Amino acid sequence: MLLSVGRLSLLLTASLLFLPPLILSQTYNYGIPIREIAPRRSSASRVVVGRLPSREDGTVPLRLEIRELIRLTEQWDMFILALNLFQALDQDDPLSYYQIAGIHGVPFQPWNDVQPVAGANNSGYCTHSSVLFPMWHRPYLALFEQQMYFLVNKIATLYPPDVRQRYQRAARNFRMPYWDWAARAPEGETYFPEVFWNAQIDQNGPNGTQKIKNPLYSYQFHPLDEKAFPWTPLKYWTETKRAPNTTKDIRAPPSNNRQVSEALSSRLPDIQRRLFILFSSYKDYNAFSSKANAIAQGSSRWDSVESIHDVIHIYGGLRGHLTYVPLSSFDPLFYLHHTMTDRIIAMWQALNPSAWIEPMAAIETSYTTLNGTIQDSSTPLTPFYISDDGSFWTSDLARVPEAFGYSYADTDVSVYSADEVRRNLARNIIDWYGQTSAVGIRNQAQSRQQVDDASAHRPPSRWAMEENSDLSDLHVEQVFKDNHYTEWIANVQVNVEALDGQFAIHFFLGQPPPNSWEWRTAPNGVGDVPIFAMNRSTGSDAKITGTLPLTTALMERIAQGDIPDLSPEMVEPYLRANLSFGVRASDDTQVSPQEVDGLYIVISSADVTVAETEDELPSWSEPVSRLTLW
Ligand SMILES: *[C@@H]1O[C@H](CO)[C@@H](O)[C@H](O)[C@H]1NC(C)=O
Ligand SMILES: *[C@@H]1O[C@H](CO)[C@@H](O)[C@H](O)[C@H]1NC(C)=O
Ligand SMILES: *[C@@H]1O[C@H](CO)[C@@H](O)[C@H](O)[C@H]1NC(C)=O
Ligand SMILES: *[C@@H]1O[C@H](CO)[C@@H](O)[C@H](O)[C@H]1NC(C)=O
Ligand SMILES: *[C@@H]1O[C@H](CO)[C@@H](O)[C@H](O)[C@H]1NC(C)=O
Ligand SMILES: *[C@@H]1O[C@H](CO)[C@@H](O)[C@H](O)[C@H]1NC(C)=O
C-alpha cells in the first residue's frame, strides 16, 4: 500500500513538471536547472587534468575509505549529491559521467579530440597487460575526482547561508573515497557496504531531504546507445548491473548486491594472501605492475597488482558491467575499486621508492597504442592533458599522488618521515594481509603462547586461529625452522584471448566436485585464479599470468596429519598425487583445459625468512618451479 502510494506520487510529480521519465525525476531537485549548476562543456575546448588545491596549511587532503567518509556528514552528503548530479549530465557533454566513463572502453570514440592510431579504434584508451596499467589509471581517476570536486564545490554554494560556510569548508577538502575490498567488514556490517545496495535513497541536501536515485547503485543510461553496447544481454540493460540473474529476466534483471558481497568476501582470504606476497616478495616495478610482465620478461613472479585487481572486476560484476573490460567503468563501483587499487599502488611505491618502470612492449592494443609498441615512463598517458599546450601526463609526472593534490593516510609524508611511513606500512601489511598467512598465524600463536605461559592453560606454541579451527592442532615447529618456512604457490599462464571473456581456474586437494557451479564453495577447494580476459577476436597468443597461494591449505593438511611439514620433499609428492584443477567458464559451465589456449600451470615454492622486528616484511628467495600441473 505504502509503496504504491509512493510510486504514484513520484509519477505525478514527474508528469506535472513535464520531465522526461525516470532519470530526471531521480536527480536531486535543487530548485534550479542542472545546467545552471554545471554549465555544459563544449567539446571544442581541451580538458586539462590539474592538481587540486591543498589545505590552507599547505598539506594535501586525503582520500578516505568510504566508511570513514560516511561519518563526515557534510562531505558525505555532497559526495552523493555530486555523483547523482554527475550521472544526470547530458551524455554529449565531454565532462559528463557517461563520457568520462567512455574513455576507458566503449563507445570507442575520441575524447578530448585525441585520435586513435590506425587499426586501434576498436578499443578504449585504458592500458591493460601493460607496464602503464598503474599510472594510466592515476590521471584517469584524477579527472573523475576533479569533476566531482567541481560539482561538490558548486553544490556547497547552494546551501542556505546559515550552514553554507560549513559545507564550503568541507568541500575544499573533498577527495574521492575508496572501498577497501582487502579488509574484513567491521563488526555487524556487510563486507560490500550497504550504501551500494539500494536503488533509491533519502538524501539530505540544500533543498531538504529528497528521495533520489542512489548513484552508487548503478548508472542509468540516458539514452542507452545500442551501437556502443551491441552485446546480448547487455544491449537491453538501461542501467549498470551487478550479479544480474538473467534466468529470471533477461531484459531488466535486478542487481543482486548481496550475492556480490558473498562472492567477493569468499575470495577475501586469497586476496589478502596475494597482497601479502605482492608487498613482501615483489621489488621490481614491472613485475608488480602488470599481468603481462612475467612471460614477457621471464620473471619467476607471476602475480601483479593488475591480476589481483581483476578479482574485484570478476566477482564484483558477476556478469554485470564490471565483469567486462570495455564496459566496466560505467558501474560507479569501478571508481571506488580503482581508487583502492591506486592506494595499493601508492603503498607499494612508498615501500619501494626507487623501483620504477623499465621499457616494455604493450601486450594488448589500446586506442592510441598498437600491441607491440614499447612503452616507458615517458610514454604519454592519453587522453589526459597536463597543460593547455597539448602535452600529456606521463608516468614520470604522475609518479606521486601529490602531483594531483591528494594522498592516503598510509602514504602521507606530511606527518611522518618517509622511513616512518615505510615502517608503519610494513607493520600494517602484516596485520591486515598477513593474518591468514604462515607469518600471521605464527604471530598469533606466539602472542597466544605468551598468554598461555602466564596462565598455563594450554600446551605451548599451538596455532590459535579463531577463524580457522582446521589449524588449531598445528604446531609452529611443523612449519617454521628457525625463522624460515616454505611458501607454495600455484602459477597460471594463459593467452590473453584464451576463451570468450572471463573465466577461472579452480584448485582442489582431491578431485573437483562434478558440478562446476559448486566449485566456488567446495569444501576441498583451495581457491581460484580468475582471469579477466578479452574475447577471442584476433587470436592473439600474448600471455598473461596470475597466482594462488597454497600454503594455508597445506598447513591444514599438516594439522590433519596428511603431511609432516612444508618441505619440498614432503609437499611435492603430496601435490603431485592430490592437487587438481578445473576451468570454469563465464557461464559457470566446465571447460576442458585443452580448449583454453596457452594454459600452463606450474607450482613453485620459495623460502621465506621472517624479519626479526615487527616493522619489517619477510624476505623471499627466488621462487623455484616444483611441478607442472598442466
Ligand atoms: C525544492 O524541491 C521541490 C520539490 O521537491 C521543488 O518543488 C522546489 O522548487 C525546490 N526548490 C525550492 C527552493 O524549494
Ligand atoms: C574504425 O576505423 C575504420 C576504418 O577507418 C572504420 O571503418 C570504423 O567505422 C571505425 N570504427 C569505429 C568504432 O569507430
Ligand atoms: C536465478 O534465478 C533462477 C530462477 O528463479 C534460480 O533458479 C537461480 O538459482 C538463480 N540464480 C542465481 C545465481 O541466483
Ligand atoms: C564475447 O563472446 C561471446 C561468445 O562469442 C559473445 O556472446 C559476447 O557477446 C562477446 N562479448 C564481448 C564483450 O565481446
Ligand atoms: C599484435 O596482435 C596481433 C593480433 O593478435 C598479432 O598477430 C601480432 O603478432 C601482435 N603483434 C605484436 C608485435 O605482438
Ligand atoms: C593424498 O591425499 C590423501 C588424503 O589426504 C593422503 O592420505 C595421501 O597420502 C596423499 N598422497 C600423497 C602421495 O601424499
Side-chain angles (χ1 to χ4, degrees):
M1 240 358 197
L2 259 178
L3 197 77
S4 63
V5 170
R7 200 186 298 152
L8 189 71
S9 70
L10 196 77
L11 286 174
L12 214 64
T13 323
S15 58
L16 280 180
L17 298 174
F18 304 104
L19 293 174
L22 223 58
I23 179 70
L24 289 180
S25 63
Q26 298 210 28
T27 302
Y28 188 86
N29 185 344
Y30 295 88
I32 50 170
I34 286 173
R35 283 184 181 202
E36 279 178 31
I37 308 170
R40 199 186 177 293
R41 204 38 210 234
S42 103
S43 48
S45 52
R46 239 170 217 168
V47 177
V48 170
V49 180
R51 183 188 191 285
L52 293 181
S54 300
R55 296 194 192 99
E56 271 149 24
D57 66 4
T59 59
V60 296
L62 303 181
R63 288 183 175 173
L64 303 176
E65 214 276 330
I66 185 162
R67 291 180 164 107
E68 294 174 300
L69 193 70
I70 294 173
R71 291 198 288 270
L72 307 179
T73 311
E74 292 87 3
Q75 284 208 11
W76 177 257
D77 284 346
M78 292 188 292
F79 165 63
I80 293 293
L81 290 170
L83 194 55
N84 173 265
L85 180 60
F86 195 3
Q87 293 182 349
L89 299 184
D90 195 328
Q91 292 191 166
D92 293 333
D93 183 338
L95 286 177
S96 62
Y97 181 96
Y98 182 79
Q99 292 233 353
I100 289 179
I103 292 169
H104 190 265
V106 300
F108 307 148
Q109 298 279 318
W111 187 85
N112 233 356
D113 201 26
V114 177
Q115 297 299 319
V117 295
N121 67 354
N122 220 6
S123 2
Y125 291 95
C126 68
T127 56
H128 293 105
S129 307
S130 150
V131 72
L132 302 186
F133 169 80
M135 290 300 122
W136 185 88
H137 287 83
R138 193 164 270 179
Y140 184 42
L141 289 175
L143 168 66
F144 191 90
E145 182 176 57
Q146 172 175 300
Q147 177 66 349
M148 284 289 292
Y149 180 86
F150 167 79
L151 295 173
V152 160
N153 278 271
K154 273 317 235 322
I155 290 166
T157 65
L158 304 177
Y159 277 87
D162 55 325
V163 293
R164 190 180 303 151
Q165 246 199 344
R166 192 147 53 83
Y167 279 89
Q168 285 183 307
R169 250 201 317 273
R172 221 187 122 86
N173 292 336
F174 171 81
R175 294 296 183 270
M176 263 307 282
Y178 59 91
W179 169 45
D180 188 351
W181 39 251
R184 255 186 280 163
E187 192 69 29
E189 292 183 31
T190 56
Y191 164 73
F192 184 41
E194 284 186 17
V195 288
F196 288 93
W197 292 30
N198 293 317
Q200 290 198 320
I201 47 170
D202 291 316
Q203 180 56 52
N204 189 25
N207 190 14
T209 299
Q210 298 177 13
K211 191 175 278 304
I212 60 167
K213 183 202 168 293
N214 179 3
L216 292 173
Y217 176 80
S218 69
Y219 174 70
Q220 291 180 333
F221 298 98
H222 53 101
L224 175 68
D225 175 1
E226 284 190 28
K227 282 202 298 296
F229 295 83
W231 304 281
T232 308
L234 285 102
K235 67 178 179 197
Y236 303 129
W237 299 346
T238 55
E239 68 179 324
T240 58
K241 304 286 180 191
R242 296 179 202 126
N245 186 337
T246 46
T247 317
K248 276 189 189 147
D249 179 356
I250 192 166
R251 290 186 170 259
S255 282
N256 188 341
N257 285 293
R258 181 175 301 282
Q259 218 164 59
V260 167
S261 192
E262 287 166 1
L264 270 176
S265 62
S266 74
R267 267 43 223 161
L268 182 59
D270 289 343
I271 291 173
Q272 292 183 336
R273 286 174 206 133
R274 288 176 72 175
L275 282 174
F276 189 62
I277 296 174
L278 190 73
F279 279 116
S280 51
S281 172
Y282 289 58
K283 304 291 164 195
D284 172 81
Y285 185 93
N286 284 32
F288 163 79
S289 67
S290 103
K291 59 187 173 191
N293 178 78
I295 304 311
Q297 309 212 312
S299 162
S300 58
R301 289 174 169 84
W302 284 22
D303 215 352
S304 60
V305 67
E306 183 182 17
S307 185
I308 297 171
H309 124 285
D310 287 0
V311 179
I312 314 306
H313 276 279
I314 289 173
Y315 288 112
L318 290 175
R319 298 201 282 281
H321 290 74
L322 203 64
T323 303
Y324 305 97
V325 184
L327 316 178
S328 56
S329 52
F330 290 92
D331 184 338
L333 173 56
F334 176 96
Y335 301 95
L336 288 103
H337 161 38
H338 266 274
T339 306
M340 171 63 186
T341 306
D342 184 67
R343 171 175 169 252
I344 289 171
I345 293 162
M347 284 162 52
W348 189 89
Q349 289 183 290
L351 289 171
N352 302 279
S354 56
W356 196 225
I357 297 172
E358 295 294 334
M360 187 180 138
I363 292 298
E364 290 177 38
T365 291
S366 63
Y367 204 56
T368 55
T369 311
L370 288 179
N371 67 331
T373 309
I374 301 294
Q375 299 173 313
D376 62 24
S377 63
S378 63
T379 302
L381 301 173
T382 52
F384 310 117
Y385 289 117
I386 194 172
S387 117
D388 244 345
D389 70 7
S391 48
F392 291 103
W393 282 93
T394 64
S395 299
D396 285 333
L397 296 166
R399 188 164 177 176
V400 295
E402 288 77 6
F404 299 94
Y406 70 87
S407 188
Y408 299 99
D410 319 280
T411 60
D412 185 12
V413 287
S414 68
V415 183
Y416 297 104
S417 71
D419 189 54
E420 283 167 326
V421 165
R422 268 194 291 284
R423 281 188 280 123
N424 287 338
L425 268 175
R427 202 177 301 117
N428 285 337
I429 286 165
I430 294 170
D431 187 33
W432 296 333
Y433 309 139
Q435 296 272 337
T436 63
S437 82
V439 175
I441 293 168
R442 186 178 87 142
N443 288 348
Q444 290 172 44
Q446 282 176 342
S447 53
R448 185 64 157 256
Q449 188 189 334
Q450 281 158 8
V451 175
D452 286 343
D453 287 349
S455 56
H457 274 328
R458 283 159 172 257
S461 75
R462 266 174 125 204
W463 304 91
M465 263 212 93
E466 287 162 49
E467 306 243 319
N468 215 334
S469 53
D470 288 350
L471 289 172
S472 56
D473 286 332
L474 197 63
H475 291 260
V476 171
E477 309 75 48
Q478 290 175 289
V479 170
F480 282 88
K481 304 277 174 274
D482 303 322
N483 280 340
H484 295 258
Y485 75 97
T486 309
E487 184 87 33
W488 289 86
I489 297 172
N491 301 279
V492 173
Q493 172 191 138
V494 287
N495 286 6
V496 63
E497 297 179 353
L499 291 178
D500 281 325
Q502 50 97 11
F503 58 97
I505 317 290
H506 286 257
F507 290 88
F508 309 89
L509 291 175
Q511 286 308 304
N515 294 330
S516 46
W517 56 89
E518 292 171 357
W519 286 0
R520 235 154 52 195
T521 50
N524 68 335
V526 182
D528 66 328
V529 180
I531 307 284
F532 188 39
M534 309 289 281
N535 254 20
R536 251 194 282 230
S537 55
T538 61
S540 166
D541 63 358
K543 312 286 186 218
I544 54 173
T545 58
T547 74
L548 179 72
L550 304 175
T551 315
T552 308
L554 289 169
M555 294 195 303
E556 287 168 8
R557 298 340 296 165
I558 296 177
Q560 297 303 307
D562 288 349
I563 36 175
D565 57 47
L566 287 175
S567 67
E569 296 71 36
M570 299 302 158
V571 172
E572 218 184 287
Y574 176 81
L575 289 178
R576 216 176 272 286
N578 282 310
L579 184 66
S580 67
F581 75 98
V583 184
R584 186 174 52 84
S586 63
D587 61 358
D588 277 356
T589 59
Q590 190 171 344
V591 181
S592 155
Q594 272 98 354
E595 287 175 40
V596 184
D597 294 337
L599 180 64
Y600 176 63
I601 303 173
V602 61
I603 312 303
S604 65
S605 74
D607 183 55
V608 182
T609 309
V610 179
E612 299 289 330
T613 61
E614 282 174 10
D615 51 12
E616 238 181 292
L617 291 168
S619 58
W620 281 59
S621 74
E622 197 66 25
V624 177
S625 298
R626 295 291 177 183
L627 69 115
T628 303
L629 202 60
W630 184 260

